[in-house]
Amino acid sequence: MVKKLGIIEETMRDGQLSLWATRMSTEDMLSIARVVDSSGFIRACTSSGAGFDTAVNFLRENPWERCRMVKAEMPNTPLMILVRGRNLFGWRQFPNDVVDMLMGCIVEAGFEWILQIEGLNDFSNIAYNVESAHRQGLKVDAGICYTISPVHSDELFIEKTRELLELNVDAITLYDASGLLSADRTSTLIPEMLRLTSGIVPLQLNVHDSTGQALACCMEGIRLGVDAVCTSSDALARGASIPATADIICASQELGITTGVDKSNVDYIDDYFHWIAARHGHTIPGVVEYDDDAYQQYIPHQIPGGMMSNFERQLSEAGIIERMPLILEEVARVRAEMGYPLMITPYSQMVGVQAVLNVMSGDRYSNVPSELPRYASGYYGQIPGHVDPEIFAQIVPHDLDSAIDFTIPDEELAKLQATRPELSHEDLLLRLFFGEGTIDSYLEDPQDPNPALIAKSPLTELVKEAILRRNARTFSVSTNRDEDNGLTYKDVKETSAYMAATPGAENLDIAHDGLNISVTR
């Protein structure tokens, strides 16, 4: 049993991916980042390819600038970003030159760690990524993706642990994106993994609560001696997300284990994100009660939280949400026919899209997206099971070339570099991953926040709201609190500077004196 448990903060990455379809704005992150930084987390995972995608497509924000701004507010906490196998931040497989460019940009953006996920657990796919990351000074937290299928045994997961150790990764996470892990399975699997990792690298847990078992799994893992667990703030925890930080702290205390995380800060962060959720109309999940019947129905399709939230949104927008039960049944069938891939990006999307097409057309596999035949032919790596031979013959052309030489420079990147020599590596990668049209569209109407106009304390937010009420002519705020109790001279000074930068401030008379601030219109 460990004497101290590390906690990895995942609100800005996993929490919002699982529950808010990755729609958290840069402003919402920056307003609380300073508190997160002083809370004692061993690191914070703050972005991913999905976060980058949403930033440019929906929020109209520059994801690289977001990363830098978050790091500026969190100088003391090691930051981590998720990278998906050879897909990196995109959807196709990328060669070594793109890997090297991305790792360099990740370092420049302020990250110290990458969370390396490989959706097939084929770690030959990430060997070069690990090497490149280490060469550029990054540490690698490598995930072993957990699932349930006829081919995924404890013995297989133990073998995958050995493979990661051979790659010299810096930490290993048992990653359960679909909430399938049970406390019983934890009790058999974790001791065997710890037997290999103990004294070499930390072993960590990231368990989603889709079936109501995450907290029990984490408690069992903590009891057995895992080094760290991943958590989210209360408003973005539970349900399709991961356990709440406060719950893990309490569970650890019950086991006599400390975390080093400041509980008062956690309460503050929880209050903040409850307010953000209310402001944007987000529903906050309640505690999920384990239901064995529901669990048995869930095992076949295993759609993870992040995909489920997007799936429901897209089916609702298409007006076919009532067909969800049929689609989930088809997801399970397609997954089995495709050799039981883990339901994690991009494979969950491949299976999910094919299932929707099968249901809507009524003629299974009559319409097949281009990437599914490539997956079936081995382009993405070693498939856990076996693709149904009849389906394989139906969807995979005889002349399909599934081989890729990762040492050959990427043709699309080379073309971009030749035609757009003025672009930075960051800009090149955005265009490579998300398409030139997407980035050009973003540049037509960017919504990048002004850091000077982002409220970073409750006082600033209060004054901001008061300014917006044009009928108020005079107001003041004062406090007798000393620095130990919260509001400080620095808080007031920052609020005054924020207000002075606000549009229309030329019509305001703003003054601060000690712990007092007054405004006259």
Side-chain angles (χ1 to χ4, degrees):
M1 180 184 293
V2 293
K3 300 297 182 183
K4 184 176 181 180
L5 177 75
I7 296 184
I8 300 169
E9 216 291 326
E10 279 273 11
T11 303
M12 298 181 194
R13 201 276 306 178
D14 205 349
Q16 67 148 329
L17 170 67
S18 299
L19 298 178
W20 293 2
T22 328
R23 298 299 199 271
M24 188 184 295
S25 69
T26 300
E27 178 175 355
D28 290 344
M29 294 180 183
L30 294 182
S31 296
I32 196 63
R34 185 168 55 178
V35 180
V36 176
D37 187 49
S38 63
S39 298
F41 297 105
I42 61 171
R43 57 185 175 274
C45 194
T46 58
S47 194
S48 65
F52 270 50
D53 191 344
T54 303
V56 296
N57 272 297
F58 297 99
L59 302 178
R60 301 292 190 180
E61 296 181 353
N62 185 319
W64 292 115
E65 287 302 319
R66 166 187 289 189
C67 294
R68 273 187 283 273
M69 286 190 281
V70 170
K71 184 58 185 177
E73 294 297 317
M74 299 180 65
N76 303 308
T77 304
L79 298 190
M80 181 165 68
I81 186 169
L82 185 144
V83 177
R84 297 191 307 258
R86 279 281 182 173
N87 297 116
L88 305 178
F89 288 178
W91 294 98
R92 63 181 174 89
Q93 304 282 74
F94 291 97
N96 294 349
D97 62 331
V98 180
V99 173
D100 289 334
M101 184 178 290
L102 177 62
M103 295 303 171
C105 289
I106 286 173
V107 172
E108 291 297 319
F111 292 97
E112 292 91 343
W113 285 76
I114 62 168
L115 173 57
Q116 180 65 74
I117 298 297
E118 205 317 285
L120 294 177
N121 284 333
D122 180 355
F123 296 137
S124 64
N125 275 343
I126 66 168
Y128 187 82
N129 296 22
V130 174
E131 175 190 332
S132 178
H134 281 162
R135 194 184 325 118
Q136 301 193 58
L138 289 164
K139 293 184 178 181
V140 179
D141 180 351
I144 297 176
C145 297
Y146 180 81
T147 190
I148 293 176
S149 84
V151 298
H152 288 91
S153 62
D154 280 8
E155 290 73 21
L156 176 62
F157 291 122
I158 298 306
E159 179 56 33
K160 293 302 176 182
T161 305
R162 291 193 183 95
E163 291 178 15
L164 288 179
L165 290 173
E166 290 174 1
L167 292 180
N168 296 316
V169 299
D170 302 285
I172 294 176
T173 294
L174 182 61
Y175 194 97
D176 177 22
S178 295
L180 294 159
L181 189 65
S182 66
D184 286 345
R185 190 79 182 269
T186 302
S187 68
T188 63
L189 184 54
I190 290 299
E192 291 301 308
M193 296 179 72
L194 283 169
R195 183 175 57 81
L196 296 177
T197 61
S198 183
I200 301 176
V201 298
L203 179 64
Q204 304 152 164
L205 277 176
N206 181 307
V207 185
H208 285 234
D209 199 36
S210 308
T211 62
Q213 301 182 94
L215 186 58
C217 291
C218 288
M219 287 188 70
E220 182 66 9
I222 295 166
R223 185 186 68 80
L224 291 169
V226 296
D227 298 280
V229 296
C230 299
T231 67
S232 181
S233 64
D234 191 78
L236 291 100
R238 308 180 191 90
S241 186
I242 55 180
T245 305
D247 291 345
I248 291 296
I249 292 175
C250 291
S252 300
Q253 290 173 342
E254 290 179 14
L255 295 170
I257 296 172
T258 61
T259 64
V261 174
D262 187 330
K263 180 60 165 58
S264 63
N265 273 23
V266 170
D267 292 341
Y268 186 104
I269 295 166
D270 286 347
D271 287 344
Y272 171 80
F273 279 112
H274 272 276
W275 171 63
I276 292 295
R279 187 168 75 170
H280 295 303
H282 293 301
T283 300
I284 298 174
V287 174
V288 180
E289 298 292 342
Y290 175 73
D291 182 313
D292 190 63
D293 289 339
Y295 180 66
Q296 297 304 324
Q297 293 173 15
Y298 179 64
I299 287 175
H301 67 77
Q302 300 182 18
I303 293 178
M307 178 180 172
M308 185 63 83
S309 63
N310 281 288
F311 214 33
E312 291 172 345
R313 178 191 292 258
Q314 291 162 4
L315 292 179
S316 294
E317 291 173 351
I320 56 172
I321 189 65
E322 76 282 354
R323 306 199 73 176
M324 176 69 89
L326 287 176
I327 290 171
L328 293 182
E329 289 181 10
E330 184 64 15
V331 167
R333 188 176 176 188
V334 171
R335 180 177 182 250
E337 292 166 341
M338 290 297 111
Y340 298 103
L342 289 96
M343 292 298 284
I344 193 168
T345 300
Y347 311 108
S348 55
Q349 284 82 1
M350 292 182 191
V351 172
V353 169
Q354 187 62 59
V356 171
L357 293 174
N358 287 353
V359 169
M360 299 308 296
S361 70
D363 185 7
R364 303 184 75 244
Y365 295 102
S366 61
N367 184 1
V368 180
S370 61
E371 292 308 306
L372 193 67
R374 302 180 68 152
Y375 156 83
S377 67
Y379 172 81
Y380 284 91
Q382 183 177 0
I383 296 170
H386 299 284
V387 177
D388 182 286
E390 293 185 6
I391 303 298
F392 184 92
Q394 180 180 347
I395 69 172
V396 179
H398 294 295
D399 59 349
L400 180 65
D401 183 7
S402 63
I404 180 170
D405 185 347
F406 291 121
T407 65
I408 299 176
D410 189 80
E411 292 183 3
E412 189 176 342
L413 176 61
K415 181 180 178 180
L416 278 170
Q417 289 176 307
T419 57
R420 304 291 300 274
E422 77 280 4
L423 295 180
S424 68
H425 285 180
E426 292 180 353
D427 292 335
L428 286 168
L429 288 173
L430 290 180
R431 291 175 179 275
L432 186 66
F433 293 143
F434 307 117
E436 295 224 60
T438 295
I439 304 306
D440 287 340
S441 176
Y442 149 71
L443 291 174
E444 289 176 2
D445 184 30
Q447 300 295 315
D448 297 309
N450 181 349
L453 299 180
I454 293 177
K456 297 177 182 176
S457 74
L459 173 63
T460 311
E461 194 64 42
L462 172 65
V463 174
K464 173 183 176 182
E465 291 296 324
I467 291 175
L468 293 176
R469 286 156 175 75
R470 295 293 180 180
N471 59 331
R473 297 188 60 81
T474 303
F475 64 92
S476 63
V477 180
S478 63
T479 179
N480 293 321
R481 291 183 177 181
D482 57 29
E483 185 168 347
D484 291 335
N485 286 329
L487 195 63
T488 66
Y489 176 79
K490 180 181 179 183
D491 290 326
V492 176
K493 185 177 181 181
E494 287 185 355
T495 300
S496 180
Y498 166 84
M499 294 171 60
T502 302
E506 63 275 8
N507 298 321
L508 303 175
D509 182 13
I510 305 170
H512 71 84
D513 177 22
L515 293 181
N516 301 297
I517 187 166
S518 62
V519 181
T520 302
R521 193 184 306 281

